[in-house]
Amino acid sequence: MRPFGPFVGIRDMMVMHSLIDIVGINDISRSVFDNASAAIIGMAKNYKPMEIRGKKNVALTALGTVQKAINFICPQLIRAGYQPIIFHASGVGGRIMEDFIGRGTFCGVIDLSPNELTDHITGGFHNAGPNRLEAAGKAGIPQIIIPGCVDFFAWGPEATIPEKWRTRQRYYHNPAYTLIRPTHAEMKQIGEAFVRKLNAAKGPVRVILPLKGMSIGGLKGGTTYDPEGDRILFETIKTGVNKNIPVFEMDFHVNEEPLANKAVEEFFKLRGDPKA
Amino acid sequence: MRPFGPFVGIRDMMVMHSLIDIVGINDISRSVFDNASAAIIGMAKNYKPMEIRGKKNVALTALGTVQKAINFICPQLIRAGYQPIIFHASGVGGRIMEDFIGRGTFCGVIDLSPNELTDHITGGFHNAGPNRLEAAGKAGIPQIIIPGCVDFFAWGPEATIPEKWRTRQRYYHNPAYTLIRPTHAEMKQIGEAFVRKLNAAKGPVRVILPLKGMSIGGLKGGTTYDPEGDRILFETIKTGVNKNIPVFEMDFHVNEEPLANKAVEEFFKLRGDPKA
């Protein structure tokens, strides 16, 4: 039951299960080590450094709960000659994206699931550390920010949820994951984190607020629906960000087509694309 | 922060971090998939089925807290012509050992860390499911059982411990692991699990009880020292096991040489070795 993230960090590390305690060579470890050696030799023989060929790479973040938005956004980017690359905002994914941004891989970001801000504040699984949502601002590339999935943090199976969270609103994602609703105080803290990070950005930023909800469970009728918590977050962002950062309040939820289209439209505008 | 165990199960599976969400081919995924393919080709070209050559393989279970006992036991086994193979009793390791036992790999077991019985009862990390400590009994091979490490269950970093366990005695193992002391009621349940499983064994069983403690933290002066809990466990085992299962109570802790020597001596006797 060891967590996988700490082993591999933000690199494409390969990990092999040793089966046995690594104490000398025996009939079992010999076979495991033989296979591991063969894999290493295979990779070494064929090694090519990672080559970023596209110049119009766009970074996106997503989780399953905003998949529909991704489906609306990506085809439009591809038609306009962009290469969208999607990072799974699971704590590790967001950190990887920010690392690539720092290395100049991307010409812009559509950050649809900055939910790692929430998990960092609450102690959820999708914790990307304190620096999430900072690399694009430092690099000065265009950013479209939609606070998708920030209305929950991720935990494991229902049975493993600590007492302190047991009275919270929860969304059953699958047998391995439960999504838990932050408190109003936490929603305010999350909003303040957005404000602090976006105000420090050197490049252009646009914020789109999905007034009807930020995740599947967070919609009206959903198990993590809490309009007052949403309002606190939106208000904190709206009143806190610098005047040069436009905030678009849209009467849609995060997975509706007009909201996705607005994200693409604003992205094209910031890039100065003829399509815009 | 996903747990690693569920990905690899009890096989020597290789897992590679994809970096990105797996949605089509792009400049990043191309490189990751190229490396993964090269590793697969390397392994396929060199594939040999696992070959168990030794006939005198002995399975042992261990965790860091009983390393000293392992250091006393293994050289003696090797000198007598055995091949000791040590499984890390982390939940996955114990299940792997039992799987190999079921396939006839081992001529006997020195089960020094059946701590997975505890974690299954308490909900700790080292949960090997309900069938731990059963395979050797079914296979009818000799078993030496020492309840090492059953006086704690494993959890993650201090800060992640659920409220319900926060008042328990705890042992700081390292930044990633905290060991938590079971209650007296749980110690009784653990003892009952031993009794039920050992009484079902078709082969010979010897039990050695380390009266002075079962782990580093569980010794006098240690942070998980609880002699009454130990007594409840020992008493439950002693009074519960069938009359044909000798129980040796030794006035040593689990990492002392005379206790390790007793385990080896009893093992040699059960095997009918001339050394015994």
Side-chain angles (χ1 to χ4, degrees):
Chain A
M1 256 291 295
R2 289 169 188 250
F4 186 53
F7 285 103
V8 295
I10 60 170
R11 296 289 179 253
D12 50 338
M13 200 83 80
M14 205 170 258
V15 175
M16 188 171 189
H17 191 189
S18 70
L19 297 183
I20 40 73
D21 246 354
I22 298 179
V23 196
I25 302 288
N26 56 54
D27 286 352
I28 295 174
S29 64
R30 187 179 293 111
S31 170
V32 174
F33 296 164
D34 277 354
N35 285 327
S37 313
I40 293 168
I41 291 166
M43 288 190 287
K45 277 192 176 165
N46 292 282
Y47 177 69
K48 288 193 295 276
M50 187 177 286
E51 202 185 318
I52 307 292
R53 296 169 225 198
K55 284 178 187 164
K56 291 172 74 176
N57 299 309
V58 183
L60 294 101
T61 56
L63 287 177
T65 49
V66 295
Q67 186 57 46
K68 282 187 182 168
I70 286 289
N71 294 348
F72 291 128
I73 292 170
C74 286
Q76 300 190 55
L77 292 175
I78 292 168
R79 275 199 298 276
Y82 289 95
Q83 175 174 254
I85 297 182
I86 304 166
F87 294 88
H88 200 72
S90 62
V92 180
R95 282 172 59 215
I96 296 169
M97 179 183 77
E98 307 240 334
D99 179 64
F100 272 112
I101 288 173
R103 293 191 270 150
T105 305
F106 293 105
C107 69
V109 180
I110 300 180
D111 209 334
L112 195 61
S113 292
N115 69 302
E116 291 148 324
L117 267 63
T118 301
D119 290 57
H120 180 64
I121 285 166
T122 59
F125 276 5
H126 293 178
N127 185 346
N131 303 122
R132 179 74 170 88
L133 204 71
E134 294 181 5
K138 274 186 193 148
I141 59 174
Q143 300 183 69
I144 308 297
I145 309 294
I146 300 168
C149 308
V150 305
D151 60 343
F152 64 75
F153 59 95
W155 199 256
E158 178 73 27
T160 68
I161 296 173
E163 294 287 328
K164 61 177 170 182
W165 291 329
R166 289 208 159 265
T167 54
R168 301 272 190 102
Q169 288 176 290
R170 292 194 294 278
Y171 176 78
Y172 172 88
H173 184 65
N174 63 34
Y177 285 95
T178 312
L179 311 180
I180 304 175
R181 179 84 203 192
T183 62
H184 292 177
E186 286 164 349
M187 290 302 274
K188 189 159 174 59
Q189 282 180 278
I190 297 158
E192 288 164 352
F194 271 104
V195 167
R196 199 170 57 248
K197 286 155 189 275
L198 298 181
N199 283 348
K202 290 185 198 155
V205 179
R206 300 290 179 269
V207 179
I208 301 174
L209 301 178
L211 298 186
K212 287 212 168 140
M214 294 172 275
S215 64
I216 295 173
L219 307 189
K220 197 168 183 175
T223 57
T224 51
Y225 179 59
D226 174 13
E228 178 59 11
D230 291 1
R231 198 194 59 77
I232 289 167
L233 176 88
F234 296 149
E235 203 60 28
T236 308
I237 294 176
K238 223 171 56 179
T239 58
V241 294
N242 291 342
K243 290 213 161 49
N244 65 334
I245 299 178
V247 177
F248 303 100
E249 297 178 83
M250 295 191 74
D251 203 25
F252 295 99
H253 65 67
V254 72
N255 278 318
E256 287 185 285
E257 193 165 8
L259 191 126
N261 290 346
K262 179 70 175 169
V264 175
E265 182 193 319
E266 289 300 317
F267 180 75
F268 288 162
K269 272 191 209 164
L270 288 185
R271 287 278 304 163
D273 285 332
K275 287 202 69 163
Chain B
M1 257 292 295
R2 289 169 188 251
F4 187 52
F7 286 102
V8 296
I10 60 171
R11 296 290 178 252
D12 50 339
M13 199 83 79
M14 203 170 261
V15 175
M16 189 172 189
H17 190 190
S18 70
L19 298 184
I20 40 74
D21 246 355
I22 297 179
V23 195
I25 301 288
N26 57 53
D27 286 353
I28 296 174
S29 64
R30 186 178 295 111
S31 170
V32 174
F33 296 164
D34 277 354
N35 285 327
S37 313
I40 292 167
I41 291 166
M43 287 190 287
K45 278 192 175 165
N46 292 282
Y47 178 69
K48 290 194 295 274
M50 188 177 285
E51 202 186 318
I52 307 290
R53 296 168 226 199
K55 283 176 189 166
K56 290 172 74 176
N57 299 310
V58 183
L60 294 101
T61 56
L63 287 177
T65 48
V66 295
Q67 186 58 44
K68 281 187 185 171
I70 287 288
N71 295 347
F72 291 128
I73 292 171
C74 285
Q76 299 189 56
L77 291 175
I78 292 168
R79 274 198 299 276
Y82 289 96
Q83 175 174 254
I85 297 182
I86 304 165
F87 294 88
H88 200 72
S90 62
V92 180
R95 282 172 57 216
I96 295 168
M97 179 183 78
E98 307 239 335
D99 179 64
F100 272 111
I101 288 172
R103 293 190 270 148
T105 305
F106 293 104
C107 70
V109 179
I110 300 181
D111 209 335
L112 194 61
S113 291
N115 69 302
E116 290 148 323
L117 267 64
T118 302
D119 290 58
H120 180 65
I121 285 165
T122 60
F125 276 4
H126 293 178
N127 184 345
N131 303 122
R132 179 73 170 88
L133 204 70
E134 294 181 5
K138 274 186 193 147
I141 59 176
Q143 300 183 68
I144 308 296
I145 308 293
I146 301 167
C149 308
V150 305
D151 60 344
F152 63 76
F153 58 95
W155 199 256
E158 177 74 28
T160 69
I161 297 172
E163 294 286 330
K164 62 178 168 182
W165 291 328
R166 290 208 159 265
T167 54
R168 300 272 190 100
Q169 289 177 290
R170 293 194 292 280
Y171 176 78
Y172 172 89
H173 184 65
N174 63 33
Y177 286 95
T178 312
L179 312 180
I180 304 175
R181 179 83 204 192
T183 61
H184 292 176
E186 285 165 349
M187 290 302 275
K188 189 161 175 60
Q189 281 180 278
I190 298 158
E192 287 163 353
F194 271 105
V195 167
R196 199 170 57 248
K197 286 155 190 275
L198 298 181
N199 283 349
K202 291 185 200 155
V205 179
R206 300 290 180 268
V207 178
I208 301 173
L209 302 178
L211 298 187
K212 288 214 169 138
M214 294 173 273
S215 64
I216 294 173
L219 307 190
K220 195 167 183 176
T223 57
T224 51
Y225 179 59
D226 174 13
E228 177 59 12
D230 291 1
R231 198 195 57 78
I232 289 167
L233 176 88
F234 296 148
E235 203 60 29
T236 307
I237 294 175
K238 224 171 54 180
T239 58
V241 293
N242 291 342
K243 292 218 158 48
N244 63 335
I245 299 178
V247 177
F248 303 99
E249 296 178 85
M250 295 193 73
D251 204 25
F252 296 98
H253 66 69
V254 71
N255 279 317
E256 287 186 285
E257 193 165 7
L259 191 127
N261 291 345
K262 179 70 175 168
V264 175
E265 181 194 320
E266 289 301 316
F267 180 75
F268 287 162
K269 270 192 211 164
L270 287 185
R271 286 275 305 161
D273 286 332
K275 287 204 65 161

